[in-house]
Amino acid sequence: MAAKLRKGDKVVVLAGKDKGKEGTIASVDPKAGKAVVEGVNMAIRHTRQTQTSQGGRLPKALPIQLSNLALLDANGKATRVGFRMEGDKKVRFAKTTGDVIDA
């Protein structure tokens, strides 16, 4: 099945402790059905100091379930993603506005 959410998409969290927060997708794991969103689902990672990096308590974004994310449309509202054929290309579009997401 085609990926509805991709790296670089602006999304909003629909459920969980970070409900309502917005961010950009940094990476997607389609096999696990999860994505890492910048600034969402943050956890503290305790890291030992090495010769190359400073140690300490570093914040790290953990993966979040794709079903808990929705794409932001041009108006800044959560929307579902649909697919349609334009010419011979399959493109993603926002269901609320009908705007094509991929350029």
Side-chain angles (χ1 to χ4, degrees), residues 7 20 23 25 32 35 40 45 47 52-53 61 68 73 77 83 91 95 99 101-102:
K7 180 179 176 180
I25 295 180
V40 175
R45 176 78 175 118
T47 313
T52 57
S53 66
N68 294 332
D73 63 3
K77 302 242 183 194
F83 293 96
V91 295
K95 292 261 188 162
D99 295 337
I101 300 164
D102 302 323

Side-chain angles (χ1 to χ4, degrees), residues 21 27 33 45 55 68 74 85 87:
K21 285 190 180 178
S27 66
R45 176 78 175 118
N68 294 332
M85 297 298 291

Side-chain angles (χ1 to χ4, degrees), residues 6-100:
R6 297 181 184 161
K7 180 179 176 180
D9 285 347
K10 302 241 341 142
V11 293
V12 62
V13 179
L14 300 176
K17 66 176 185 174
D18 293 321
K19 181 177 181 178
K21 285 190 180 178
E22 298 176 3
T24 305
I25 295 180
S27 66
V28 178
D29 182 7
K31 195 168 190 176
K34 296 186 176 226
V36 175
V37 181
E38 296 169 359
V40 175
N41 199 20
M42 300 298 285
I44 300 295
R45 176 78 175 118
H46 296 76
T47 313
R48 181 178 292 241
Q49 181 176 355
T50 63
Q51 287 182 340
T52 57
S53 66
Q54 179 69 29
R57 301 175 68 218
L58 304 174
K60 179 182 179 184
L62 297 179
I64 188 169
Q65 194 73 27
L66 286 174
S67 63
N68 294 332
L69 299 174
L71 189 74
L72 286 175
D73 63 3
N75 301 330
K77 302 242 183 194
T79 184
R80 291 181 292 161
V81 178
F83 293 96
R84 67 177 173 219
M85 297 298 291
E86 289 194 356
D88 58 346
K89 289 186 71 174
K90 182 177 178 181
V91 295
R92 296 185 306 155
F93 72 97
K95 292 261 188 162
T96 55
T97 60
D99 295 337
V100 174

